[in-house]
Amino acid sequence: DGGITQSPKYLFRKEGQNVTLSCEQNLNHDAMYWYRQDPGQGLRLIYYSQIVNDFQKGDIAEGYSVSREKKESFPLTVTSAQKNPTAFYLCASSTGGENEQYFGPGTRLTVT
Amino acid sequence: GQQLNQSPQSMFIQEGEDVSMNCTSSSIFNTWLWYKQDPGEGPVLLIALYKAGELTSNGRLTAQFGITRKDSFLNISASIPSDVGIYFCAGQNRETNAGKSTFGDGTTLTVKP
């Protein structure tokens, strides 16, 4: 079955710790994306990558970092510099260009 | 940057009623997408529109790509309880926002049995 997986579904961390969220896809998609969603709000783009070994900042990249060493993987690190990290994080992928994005199931991160 | 206004913000309807929601943009898009998100899950693609004026259906759902390329509409006919969720529109324009989608803030739909 092709799709996008995110793990874990729920993640708890203490303030001041870095945490890495996993995103894997077996759709052979070139482009991958990370979004943040806060309660009652829409999706805000954190980072995106259109090809391996390349990525660009989205609208709210501060306090986050990514890597794209493999086509199928796009991990997101939430650093201690992120002032308000508690949120629902969504990963997506697409074939690129103006094509539809497909989303993973999301990771809910809680930092206390 | 591009702005997307999605309305209404929320809707409370009776089962069996039809639903309409729309998105308007300050600039043109080449692609419009409509997604549905269930609580605690990722959005699922419902309908993709690629051409101005295009009208596309997916079961009880119908979406249209506005002629001006600055708006899109989603209609749900004969709503059922499982239609509950958040509906998002998204627009894309390769020339002005390569590789990225602009999302609306969502319409939360509640269906009363």
Side-chain angles (χ1 to χ4, degrees):
Chain A
D1 271 277
I4 303 173
T5 57
Q6 291 185 245
S7 60
K9 182 68 174 174
Y10 299 95
L11 193 53
F12 298 88
R13 279 294 183 271
K14 293 290 187 185
E15 194 173 318
Q17 293 179 334
N18 291 354
V19 59
T20 297
L21 281 59
S22 166
C23 178
E24 304 278 330
Q25 54 98 1
N26 60 4
L27 300 168
N28 200 33
H29 284 173
D30 288 316
M32 297 186 74
Y33 309 80
W34 274 105
Y35 293 90
R36 170 183 172 134
Q37 186 177 30
D38 292 288
Q41 297 189 30
L43 307 178
R44 292 187 288 169
L45 183 65
I46 304 173
Y47 269 97
Y48 66 107
S49 166
Q50 298 192 69
I51 55 172
V52 175
N53 292 321
D54 187 42
F55 49 84
Q56 287 80 40
K57 293 182 179 179
D59 301 319
I60 56 165
E62 186 175 349
Y64 299 97
S65 66
V66 294
S67 63
R68 187 85 188 277
E69 297 176 0
K70 298 186 296 182
K71 187 175 186 178
E72 57 270 23
S73 179
F74 191 40
L76 173 75
T77 297
V78 184
T79 75
S80 56
Q82 168 52 233
K83 295 287 183 273
N84 190 15
T86 294
F88 189 49
Y89 290 88
L90 287 160
C91 178
S93 71
S94 80
T95 54
E98 291 174 347
N99 294 312
E100 53 265 30
Q101 295 178 20
Y102 294 89
F103 285 85
T107 292
R108 186 167 299 281
L109 173 65
T110 302
V111 176
T112 57
Chain B
Q2 293 169 320
Q3 300 289 326
L4 259 189
N5 294 311
Q6 185 171 350
S7 65
Q9 186 175 5
S10 60
M11 302 183 73
F12 297 83
I13 62 169
Q14 289 288 144
E15 183 177 357
E17 290 183 355
D18 297 343
V19 172
S20 290
M21 60 190 78
N22 70 86
C23 281
T24 58
S25 171
S26 57
S27 52
I28 63 173
F29 287 119
N30 296 326
T31 301
W32 280 98
L33 307 168
W34 284 93
Y35 293 87
K36 182 194 177 201
Q37 184 180 30
D38 291 327
E41 301 295 329
V44 174
L45 182 68
L46 298 174
I47 294 178
L49 303 161
Y50 298 104
K51 188 177 176 182
E54 180 181 354
L55 185 71
T56 298
S57 293
N58 178 6
R60 293 178 296 106
L61 277 61
T62 302
Q64 184 162 25
F65 193 141
I67 292 291
T68 66
R69 295 168 64 193
K70 291 184 177 182
D71 56 8
S72 181
F73 305 85
L74 176 69
N75 296 319
I76 305 173
S77 62
S79 59
I80 59 179
S82 63
D83 290 335
V84 165
I86 305 174
Y87 292 80
F88 290 101
C89 63
Q92 297 178 344
N93 186 323
R94 182 175 51 241
E95 286 82 23
T96 59
N97 221 16
K100 298 193 293 183
S101 295
T102 301
F103 282 84
D105 286 339
T107 294
T108 301
L109 178 64
T110 302
V111 180
K112 293 178 282 187

